[in-house]
Amino acid sequence: QRPAPVEGSADMASIDESKEKLKELYATREEMEKEMAEIAQRLTEPGMPGLRGALVDREGFPIPGVDLYQVRGDRGRYATLRNDHSEVTKELEKRLAELHLQAGVTKGVAAMELTREAIEKQQRDEDDAFMRARARAAARYGAPPSARAFAYVDEVTP
């Protein structure tokens, strides 16, 4: 197990750098979300086609009163921001996991090791829970069909 970093150590400096990078990524993501909200609001105003609506009427003519170039530009920018937002979110998740690893908070599920005793205790606990649930079901609904005898033995010889 990795010890927790000591104040003023190189690990602590690395943790501080990671925290700063996380703050920058969060700020970037919030700016993207703000711009996406502005674009969505602009495109969903009354008389506007929205984020996915048609830019032409039923007869194939451009919708009157709508700046098609502006709408197409806004939609393109929104798509770009959505993709970038996804990438920044993935980077945030990755860096946050690294920060936790650096801080010694967790080694991750993949790095966990169970001792033989822990595995046996877990199995016993699961078996006990199963038997208790089965007993409750038998008490409430009667014995399950699988618990009824399917054969009787009269004699056993060596």
Side-chain angles (χ1 to χ4, degrees):
Q1 176 157 342
R2 185 180 174 148
V6 178
E7 193 76 34
S9 69
D11 279 346
M12 196 62 169
S14 177
I15 290 173
D16 289 339
E17 290 172 11
S18 295
K19 286 181 182 178
E20 286 303 314
K21 184 61 179 173
L22 278 172
K23 288 179 184 177
E24 290 173 17
L25 287 170
Y26 272 119
T28 301
R29 189 172 79 165
E30 286 178 355
E31 285 297 317
M32 287 179 184
E33 290 169 351
K34 182 180 175 185
E35 188 176 350
M36 288 170 68
E38 290 171 358
I39 292 171
Q41 181 181 3
R42 194 168 45 242
L43 289 175
T44 56
E45 289 177 350
M48 295 297 285
L51 292 169
R52 298 185 185 269
L55 299 178
V56 294
D57 60 17
R58 291 179 189 213
E59 297 174 359
F61 293 104
I63 299 174
V66 175
D67 183 355
L68 299 182
Y69 294 108
Q70 178 68 38
V71 170
R72 289 182 65 193
D74 282 348
R75 286 179 175 180
R77 178 69 181 147
Y78 188 87
T80 300
L81 286 170
R82 186 180 59 231
N83 292 338
D84 292 347
H85 183 273
S86 176
E87 290 177 20
V88 168
T89 300
K90 287 177 186 174
E91 182 69 17
L92 272 169
E93 291 171 357
K94 181 179 135 197
R95 292 202 180 242
L96 191 58
E98 289 172 359
L99 178 65
H100 282 281
L101 188 62
Q102 287 174 340
V105 173
T106 180
K107 291 168 66 176
V109 174
M112 287 181 59
E113 293 181 25
L114 293 177
T115 62
R116 180 186 305 257
E117 294 83 21
I119 293 170
E120 289 172 355
K121 181 183 181 317
Q122 182 179 5
Q123 186 63 44
R124 282 192 309 270
D125 291 347
E126 289 174 1
D127 290 345
D128 290 347
F130 174 75
M131 294 306 288
R132 284 193 306 273
R134 188 172 181 177
R136 280 194 304 271
R140 176 179 266 172
Y141 305 111
S146 63
R148 294 191 183 119
F150 65 90
Y152 293 99
V153 178
D154 293 330
E155 185 179 291
V156 177
T157 58

